[in-house]
């Protein structure tokens, strides 16, 4: 009986050591791009903008000229056409309404030269009647290609932040007719 108890204690101890070793391996992600803004808009309204391609195009503040859904089944494949004529194929890999999270990865066939992989996520969090929107991107690749894509993503996220801010501005009320 002592041998069985001793064996169980030994197995339990080894399992705990192995679990602890696995936890040490977990590392915090170092994002290549982080852009956060607070928008004077309710969370559900912002969520609707990011899930409606026409509103999202408007929110890009002129940076995006078209958003075309290629395959509506998850992961949703879409083509983004920028106002300078460039385009990007990407897949929405997560669209979680309950967590207010959208994750997007770039399709491998259209990655810029020197880039192995690229993805970004958009996080939404209510803050009273306002909403915090956070873009975070991760780019894997060499120096020049990575720098160019990081610069492009910063400009893109800045355009969305400015466009969302413009969407919250009050319009001039119409003149009242008698």
């Amino acid at each position: 009986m002592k041998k069985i108890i001793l064996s169980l204690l030994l197995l339990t101890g080894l399992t705990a050591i192995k679990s602890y070793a696995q936890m040490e391996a977990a590392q915090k992600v170092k994002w290549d791009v982080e852009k956060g803004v607070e928008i004077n808009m309710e969370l559900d309204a912002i969520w609707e903008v990011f899930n409606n391609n026409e509103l999202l195009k408007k929110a890009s503040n002129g940076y995006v000229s078209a958003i075309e859904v290629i395959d509506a089944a998850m992961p949703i494949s879409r083509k983004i056409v920028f106002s300078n004529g460039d385009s990007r194929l990407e897949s929405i890999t997560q669209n979680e309404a309950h967590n207010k999270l959208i994750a997007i990865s770039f399709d491998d066939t259209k990655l810029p030269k020197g880039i192995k992989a690229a993805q970004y996520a958009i996080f939404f969090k209510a803050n009273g009647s306002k909403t915090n929107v956070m873009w975070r991107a991760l780019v894997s690749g060499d120096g020049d290609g990575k720098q160019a894509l990081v610069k492009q993503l910063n400009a893109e996220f800045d355009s969305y932040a400015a466009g969302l801010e413009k969407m919250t501005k009050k319009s001039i009320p119409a003149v009242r007719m008698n």
Side-chain angles (χ1 to χ4, degrees):
M1 185 66 154
K2 287 182 183 181
K3 288 182 182 180
I4 293 173
I5 293 174
L6 186 58
S7 296
L8 288 173
L9 287 173
L10 183 61
L11 283 174
T12 305
L14 288 175
T15 304
I17 291 170
K18 184 177 178 183
S19 297
Y20 180 73
Q22 288 176 346
M23 290 299 289
E24 283 186 40
Q27 297 178 1
K28 186 176 179 180
V29 174
K30 176 160 180 355
W31 299 97
D32 295 305
V33 179
E34 284 192 88
K35 172 71 179 171
V37 294
E38 185 173 78
I39 304 296
N40 190 21
M41 193 183 293
E42 295 280 339
L43 177 61
D44 289 338
I46 291 236
W47 183 254
E48 176 62 26
V49 168
F50 279 86
N51 284 283
N52 179 315
N53 288 339
E54 285 304 311
L55 291 175
L56 187 59
K57 186 176 89 172
K58 181 179 178 182
S60 79
N61 200 30
Y63 197 81
V64 171
S65 62
I67 301 173
E68 175 189 345
V69 174
I70 296 168
D71 185 359
M74 282 302 277
I76 299 168
S77 179
R78 67 184 185 181
K79 180 179 181 180
I80 308 292
V81 179
F82 301 100
S83 52
N84 67 1
D86 290 344
S87 66
R88 174 174 72 220
L89 291 176
E90 58 186 32
S91 295
I92 300 174
T93 56
Q94 289 178 275
N95 188 331
E96 300 180 9
H98 60 284
N99 289 323
K100 300 297 190 241
L101 158 73
I102 299 173
I104 298 170
S105 65
F106 291 22
D107 290 351
D108 294 339
T109 57
K110 284 288 203 165
L111 286 174
K113 185 178 179 181
I115 303 298
K116 296 175 187 167
Q119 57 266 337
Y120 65 95
I122 311 163
F123 303 90
F124 307 87
K125 186 176 180 185
N127 186 12
S129 63
K130 297 180 181 186
T131 302
N132 292 322
V133 181
M134 175 66 76
W135 290 268
R136 291 184 172 139
L138 191 59
V139 179
S140 301
D142 72 10
D144 292 341
K146 182 174 180 173
Q147 284 179 352
L149 186 54
V150 165
K151 183 178 178 182
Q152 175 190 341
L153 288 171
N154 271 310
E156 184 176 341
F157 299 158
D158 286 343
S159 291
Y160 278 113
L164 287 167
E165 191 62 38
K166 279 185 181 179
M167 291 175 84
T168 66
K169 300 295 182 208
K170 303 286 184 200
S171 62
I172 299 171
V175 176
R176 187 171 199 166
M177 302 295 283
N178 290 337

